[in-house]
């Protein structure tokens, strides 16, 4: 790929609670190249949102970064003051949140909400900023944009509001766009439109996207690379083809297995629940839910084993001495479905 613009190294984040220290993010490392889309996937509570909020300096008051670096063009964002981060947020790194209604100010016309980042970050005069807001409103596909620029958020549908939130995030042409489950609240048809729109805009303004989701089906059509998170750690990462065609971690198998498909009405849930991060297990965090777990899984955390130059997985099953386990039949069947999705993507 191209130039590396973001490098997260050994990130550790704890949350201070009445019950004790929750070890929410445990030694997380990943990178992002210019113009690519990295998907971070995993169940709720796996640490996806906390990781990306730390990039923006938007962690809760009870969160503490215990270690690591977040290098944006070689500069550690964790060393910046709140005032310095304010000039990064929205201008260099922008975020689309899950629920557009909580991101939009109900008392302000949407044109002004889109123009605000331009006035703040680019010191643009109001008239010029509103003209640019109108352009991006058209770009994100709001019909009759000239009239609607003076409307308030409640006058738009859910899908339109999400388009407006995307317009606000993209108006300064940020280098990195973080999309935190941006289509969760939308129906499937609108969801597909929003995802297509994001890909289209990405090509136009050359932004890099970090896409957070629990839905692997969305990932197939969106991402270049995928990082799978579980219990505050990345446990497998690779290109989108590698994660779908050749998944190595039993948790990734479980996620793929729980994807709904057109020809299968039966959904396989992963049995059990994630571990308590007040006291994380000393071995593989997935061991208690892993039908293929070995004795070593309970005792020692697996390192990353190299599958290819771009594909790594942290599972003892990849150790040369481990028994050879083949993925469940369902995973093999889903590979065919993924191939079909990829074919549509090319069309």
């Amino acid at each position: 790929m191209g130039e590396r613009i973001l490098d997260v190294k050994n990130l550790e984040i704890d949350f201070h609670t009445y019950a004790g220290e929750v070890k929410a993010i445990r030694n997380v490392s990943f990178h992002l190249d210019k113009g690519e889309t990295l998907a971070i996937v995993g169940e709720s509570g796996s640490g996806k949102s906390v990781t990306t909020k730390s990039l923006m300096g938007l962690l809760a008051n009870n969160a503490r970064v215990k270690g690591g670096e977040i290098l944006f063009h070689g500069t550690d964002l964790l060393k910046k003051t709140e005032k310095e981060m304010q000039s990064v947020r929205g201008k260099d790194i922008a975020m689309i949140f899950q629920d557009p209604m909580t991101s939009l100010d109900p008392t302000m016309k949407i044109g002004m909400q889109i123009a605000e980042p331009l006035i703040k970050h680019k010191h643009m005069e109001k008239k010029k900023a509103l003209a640019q807001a109108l352009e991006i409103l058209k770009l994100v596909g709001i019909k009759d944009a000239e009239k609607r620029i003076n409307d308030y958020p409640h006058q738009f549908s859910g899908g339109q509001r999400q388009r407006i939130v995307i317009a606000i995030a993209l108006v300064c042409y940020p280098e990195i766009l973080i999309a935190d489950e941006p289509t969760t609240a939308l129906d499937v048809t609108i969801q597909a439109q929003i995802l297509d729109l994001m890909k289209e805009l990405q090509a136009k303004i050359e932004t890099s996207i970090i896409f957070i989701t629990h839905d692997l089906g969305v990932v197939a059509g969106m991402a270049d690379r995928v990082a799978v998170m579980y219990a505050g750690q990345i446990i497998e990462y690779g290109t989108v083809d590698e994660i779908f065609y050749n998944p190595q971690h039993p948790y990734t198998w479980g996620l793929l297995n729980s994807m709904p498909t057109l020809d299968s009405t039966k959904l396989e849930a992963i049995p059990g629940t994630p571990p308590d991060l007040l006291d994380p297990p000393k071995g593989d965090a997935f061991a208690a839910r892993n039908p293929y777990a070995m004795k070593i899984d309970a005792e020692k955390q697996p390192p990353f084993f190299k599958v290819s130059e771009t594909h790594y997985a942290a599972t003892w099953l990849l150790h040369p001495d481990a028994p050879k386990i083949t993925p469940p039949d369902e995973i093999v069947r889903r590979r065919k479905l993924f191939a079909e999705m990829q074919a549509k993507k090319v069309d």
Side-chain angles (χ1 to χ4, degrees):
M1 283 296 286
E3 161 204 356
R4 184 169 294 191
I5 56 173
L6 182 76
D7 218 343
V8 175
K9 295 179 177 179
N10 311 113
L11 189 63
E12 303 260 348
I13 300 172
D14 287 1
F15 281 87
H16 180 69
T17 69
Y18 290 116
E21 296 288 325
V22 175
K23 292 163 182 60
I25 302 300
R26 305 185 294 141
N27 200 22
V28 162
S29 300
F30 62 90
H31 70 271
L32 184 69
D33 290 332
K34 189 173 175 61
E36 78 164 339
T37 300
L38 169 72
I40 301 179
V41 300
E43 291 166 291
S44 296
S46 58
K48 310 182 297 291
S49 294
V50 175
T51 301
T52 46
K53 279 180 181 160
S54 69
L55 307 181
M56 300 274 286
L58 289 176
L59 289 171
N61 292 336
N62 65 336
R64 270 214 323 275
V65 178
K66 295 291 286 282
E69 296 175 307
I70 298 172
L71 302 174
F72 176 58
H73 288 300
T75 303
D76 190 355
L77 296 180
L78 294 173
K79 292 196 164 67
K80 286 187 179 290
T81 62
E82 170 55 25
K83 196 165 187 337
E84 287 170 328
M85 279 307 292
Q86 282 173 12
S87 65
V88 172
R89 266 182 232 131
K91 183 165 81 72
D92 301 319
I93 305 175
M95 193 160 188
I96 304 168
F97 295 95
Q98 275 186 36
D99 180 6
M101 234 11 205
T102 57
S103 312
L104 295 169
D105 183 339
T107 66
M108 194 193 277
K109 291 174 180 177
I110 58 120
M112 202 54 216
Q113 294 194 53
I114 300 169
E116 211 174 28
L118 292 169
I119 296 165
K120 185 181 172 208
H121 292 300
K122 304 265 170 110
H123 311 295
M124 212 178 261
E125 57 181 55
K126 187 177 167 184
K127 194 176 171 187
K128 195 178 172 196
L130 281 167
Q132 201 159 317
L134 179 62
E135 286 313 303
I136 200 147
L137 205 55
K138 289 175 182 170
L139 200 63
V140 298
I142 298 287
K143 291 190 176 73
D144 298 326
E146 284 88 355
K147 287 181 192 159
R148 309 238 41 199
I149 196 163
N150 291 314
D151 286 349
Y152 291 91
H154 71 269
Q155 292 171 277
F156 293 87
S157 69
Q160 288 171 325
R161 284 199 288 261
Q162 196 58 291
R163 285 169 187 267
I164 292 161
V165 169
I166 291 170
I168 294 169
L170 291 178
V171 75
C172 286
Y173 288 11
E175 287 193 69
I176 298 173
L177 178 66
I178 299 167
D180 187 355
E181 303 258 12
T183 57
T184 301
L186 306 172
D187 70 53
V188 179
T189 319
I190 307 290
Q191 187 176 21
Q193 288 173 11
I194 295 288
L195 295 174
D196 286 345
L197 171 70
M198 284 177 67
K199 280 191 289 189
E200 206 179 295
L201 294 173
Q202 180 181 27
K204 278 183 186 161
I205 70 170
E206 289 192 317
T207 191
S208 307
I209 296 177
I210 297 175
F211 196 92
I212 305 169
T213 183
H214 61 271
D215 183 352
L216 270 167
V218 167
V219 169
M222 271 298 283
D224 300 303
R225 285 187 305 120
V226 181
V228 181
M229 275 192 94
Y230 182 75
Q233 295 173 312
I234 289 175
I235 48 101
E236 182 165 9
Y237 61 93
T239 65
V240 71
D241 289 22
E242 286 167 336
I243 296 298
F244 277 84
Y245 283 122
N246 191 25
Q248 296 293 323
H249 199 289
Y251 177 65
T252 312
W253 295 347
L255 282 183
L256 285 162
N257 233 348
S258 59
M259 254 170 72
T261 61
L262 290 172
D263 60 344
S264 163
T265 49
K266 186 166 166 273
L267 285 185
E268 294 291 335
I270 302 172
T273 53
D276 181 357
L277 293 183
L278 276 165
D279 182 23
K282 62 175 182 172
D284 183 345
F286 189 59
R289 304 171 76 186
N290 180 3
Y292 312 99
M294 300 173 285
K295 190 171 174 232
I296 192 169
D297 281 306
E299 294 161 3
K300 203 172 171 190
Q301 234 179 68
F304 273 109
F305 290 93
K306 182 177 175 179
V307 184
S308 77
E309 286 304 322
T310 48
H311 188 186
Y312 290 79
T315 169
W316 286 116
L317 289 176
L318 289 173
H319 190 280
D321 298 338
K324 292 285 164 271
I325 305 280
T326 51
D329 294 344
E330 182 61 14
I331 296 295
V332 178
R333 190 180 69 79
R334 281 164 193 271
R335 282 179 192 160
K336 291 178 190 164
L337 290 166
F338 176 62
E340 287 162 21
M341 282 181 190
Q342 290 295 81
K344 281 181 192 161
K345 191 173 163 184
V346 173
D347 293 346

